[in-house]
Amino acid sequence: MDRETGGAAAGAVIVDALELVSDLSDPERAARFAAAAHRILAELVAGGAALGWVEPPGRDEVARLLDGVVAAVRSGDAALRAACLGDRLVGLGYWQRYARPTHRPHADLEKLAVAAEAHGLGLGRALAAALVEDARRAGIEVLTLDARGDNTRALRLYASLGFTEYGRLPRFVAVGERRYDKVFCMLDLRPHASGQ
């Protein structure tokens, strides 16, 4: 089992989420993972979190999203990590390769989310660090992400992991009448030849 503590709280582990969805002896395992992920994402969005939804996503929408990510993981085009406290899912995140053929060496980090009751335990950092390491091992050249401009906590976390801002679309994200910048960040994982 690929478990890491990532400096997170005692008892918390970061696991390859395929461990939580791919047990042939327990066909309900994937459904339980999807339900727990839905709870986390829906509660965070209801509280105003910047995860790409204006309204909390439905169970079916989250299940379809995860089905797609799991299929991409199995084909080598993604990584999906989960944060667990005991047997309880409290966070998740993934990266996925770009679909465009000319962008296939690169991937986008998406939907990094930690349940509100687990905030402050270092699980967001541990998830992000594990996903960066997964990208390195998979040969990803550049890992990108975007974040809402007011999500300063997440932007600080990504910067501390080596991500740099490479662009910003002012007032691009619309949440009702409110507008926020969309901030683009990247982490260059390519080995650089000396002297370049």
Side-chain angles (χ1 to χ4, degrees), residues 82-173:
C84 298
L85 279 171
D87 63 353
R88 196 170 91 245
L89 180 71
V90 293
L92 68 148
Y94 67 92
W95 58 255
Q96 198 160 359
R97 283 187 191 272
Y98 283 94
R100 188 180 296 176
T102 55
H103 297 176
R104 296 286 295 156
H106 315 297
D108 196 46
L109 182 64
E110 302 181 42
K111 304 284 187 266
L112 187 68
V114 174
E117 70 267 16
H119 284 180
L121 299 178
L123 296 175
R125 172 176 297 286
L127 278 167
L131 288 163
V132 166
E133 187 53 37
D134 291 341
R136 254 191 198 91
R137 283 196 298 262
I140 298 299
E141 293 181 10
V142 178
L143 188 60
T144 63
L145 63 86
D146 63 77
R148 204 167 74 189
D150 67 323
N151 197 349
T152 55
R153 190 171 167 184
L155 290 167
R156 278 194 310 269
L157 166 66
Y158 297 132
S160 75
L161 293 171
F163 284 85
T164 57
E165 182 177 328
Y166 70 89
R168 184 179 286 252
L169 292 171
R171 300 179 43 80
F172 185 80
V173 178

Side-chain angles (χ1 to χ4, degrees), residues 23-110:
D23 185 351
L24 296 177
S25 67
D26 185 1
E28 294 299 313
R29 198 167 190 178
R32 287 194 305 272
F33 179 79
H38 170 261
R39 178 188 57 82
I40 292 167
L41 295 169
E43 287 177 4
L44 289 171
V45 172
L51 289 166
W53 291 286
V54 173
E55 298 295 326
R59 278 182 183 252
D60 289 344
E61 183 178 1
V62 171
R64 283 190 305 274
L65 171 74
L66 291 173
D67 285 347
V69 173
V70 167
V73 170
R74 288 188 171 129
S75 69
D77 290 332
L80 174 62
R81 287 289 183 151
C84 298
L85 279 171
D87 63 353
R88 196 170 91 245
L89 180 71
V90 293
L92 68 148
Y94 67 92
W95 58 255
Q96 198 160 359
R97 283 187 191 272
Y98 283 94
R100 188 180 296 176
T102 55
H103 297 176
R104 296 286 295 156
H106 315 297
D108 196 46
L109 182 64
E110 302 181 42

